[in-house]
Amino acid sequence: MRIAILADIHGNLVALEAALADTKRIGVDQVIVAGDIVVGSPDSLACWERVKTLGCPVLRGNHERYVFDLHTDRAPPIWHSRQFGPVQYAAQTLGPQRWREMAALPMQHVFPDAPDVLFVHGSSRSDNDLIFPYTLDAEIAPMFSPNAPRWIIRAHNHFCSVRLWGERRIVTVGSVGLPLDGYPSAQYTILEKRDGDWRVEHRAVNYDIAAAALRFKESGCLQAAGPMARLYQREVATAAFQIIPFLRFFRKLGVVEPGVTLEDAVQRFLSRNYDPRLD
């Protein structure tokens, strides 16, 4: 049995198509999409519809939750600020019917013919849980049932890894559309049953990064989603963290210059880290 796990697509249709073409080329028995199909690059709607054509299990990621919670009383006030412009843009392009489809997604999945493998986005407890090589066992335990299978396959971190947890293996599959390990590519993972146990293969597929970055301009996303979209564009181009460092920069700048606008802060942050691939 050969399973392809795709996750963290984040609206990057160019990367999604490259990853799917690779799964077709190498041959797989099953595909599962482990969440965060939307928000980030401009093509959330196209990615959502493309994933539905696969007819495979799809899990809820935290960004699906942001979209379907945005217009409810569960949304914190900051979600309606310019800082969450990319979420607002994705929600607008997707529309209420697709919000409801996303709200119905499960948080975890087990294939009947692979009962020793659990698929989640963050963890069984939360779509926002992060697991790193240095995460303490005691911190991981509340994230899963005591009876969790031996293999746990997850996403959310945006880089590939394998973490030992007692007798279990926690595999983080990497990001199709927004890797953050410094290697711009469409990344996903193959899980293959061989000789009675599972083998893990992390794959990185080259794709047209320039075309993916250009979609931000062609689609009108840079204007409609606001200044935070420029940071997503740079993350696509560089496969490096931009948004989290920017938010730290913005908080510190706000202390020194109270009232500084988000637009000005993004411009000043980007001018310190110029990348000509975004021209």
Side-chain angles (χ1 to χ4, degrees):
M1 187 177 186
R2 203 175 201 200
I3 305 170
I5 308 99
L6 281 64
D8 293 295
I9 298 160
H10 287 284
N12 189 338
L13 184 63
V14 184
L16 174 59
E17 293 294 0
L20 289 174
D22 192 61
T23 65
K24 185 175 182 179
R25 184 182 65 82
I26 65 173
V28 299
D29 302 303
Q30 180 69 57
V31 174
I32 181 169
V33 178
D36 276 9
I37 300 160
V38 300
V39 182
S41 287
D43 293 311
S44 290
L45 173 57
C47 288
W48 179 254
E49 292 301 313
R50 181 69 173 96
V51 164
K52 288 198 297 186
T53 69
L54 303 176
C56 69
V58 179
L59 302 181
R60 185 190 88 193
N62 54 301
H63 281 82
E64 280 77 42
R65 176 169 53 82
Y66 298 161
V67 165
F68 68 70
D69 270 355
L70 180 63
H71 298 288
T72 72
D73 57 9
R74 294 186 295 273
I78 196 172
W79 286 18
H80 299 285
S81 72
R82 291 282 278 170
Q83 188 172 312
F84 278 74
V87 175
Q88 298 158 16
Y89 176 79
Q92 181 181 7
T93 61
L94 287 158
Q97 175 56 39
R98 295 179 185 89
W99 305 345
R100 291 189 287 271
E101 293 171 0
M102 292 176 186
L105 294 175
M107 286 188 61
Q108 58 186 33
H109 182 79
V110 176
F111 289 106
D113 48 355
D116 55 342
V117 185
L118 172 68
F119 298 89
V120 297
H121 181 71
S123 76
S124 294
R125 178 182 67 180
S126 169
D127 54 33
N128 254 334
D129 277 334
L130 291 163
I131 299 175
F132 299 101
Y134 52 80
T135 303
L136 298 176
D137 287 2
E139 295 175 347
I140 296 175
M143 300 181 188
F144 300 99
S145 162
N147 300 317
R150 180 168 177 262
W151 288 86
I152 297 170
I153 313 299
R154 60 179 299 280
H156 192 50
N157 282 51
H158 291 236
F159 58 81
C160 301
S161 68
V162 178
R163 166 71 156 79
L164 303 183
W165 177 38
E167 296 298 317
R168 296 181 175 92
R169 302 292 183 268
I170 302 177
V171 178
T172 300
V173 300
S175 171
V176 170
L178 204 63
L180 295 173
D181 60 357
Y183 296 96
S185 55
Q187 300 179 14
Y188 74 101
T189 295
I190 295 289
L191 191 67
E192 184 173 7
K193 194 69 169 284
R194 274 195 274 162
D195 301 323
D197 205 357
W198 294 100
R199 308 288 181 90
V200 175
E201 179 188 359
H202 296 304
R203 297 186 63 82
V205 183
N206 291 329
Y207 76 97
D208 192 340
I209 304 293
L214 185 60
R215 284 293 302 144
F216 284 83
K217 294 182 180 179
E218 293 176 336
S219 64
C221 173
L222 286 178
Q223 181 175 359
M228 297 300 290
R230 298 177 65 192
L231 299 175
Y232 273 114
Q233 184 191 42
R234 175 164 286 182
E235 287 194 340
V236 168
T238 64
F241 285 97
Q242 303 293 331
I243 292 172
I244 291 175
F246 165 74
L247 292 175
R248 293 172 181 153
F249 170 80
F250 189 32
R251 283 195 293 269
K252 291 179 181 178
L253 186 62
V255 172
V256 177
E257 299 182 28
V260 63
T261 66
L262 182 68
E263 288 80 357
D264 185 41
V266 167
Q267 180 59 40
R268 289 161 70 173
F269 178 82
L270 291 175
S271 68
R272 304 186 335 164
N273 299 279
Y274 174 68
D275 188 328
R277 288 175 294 181
L278 301 185
D279 284 347

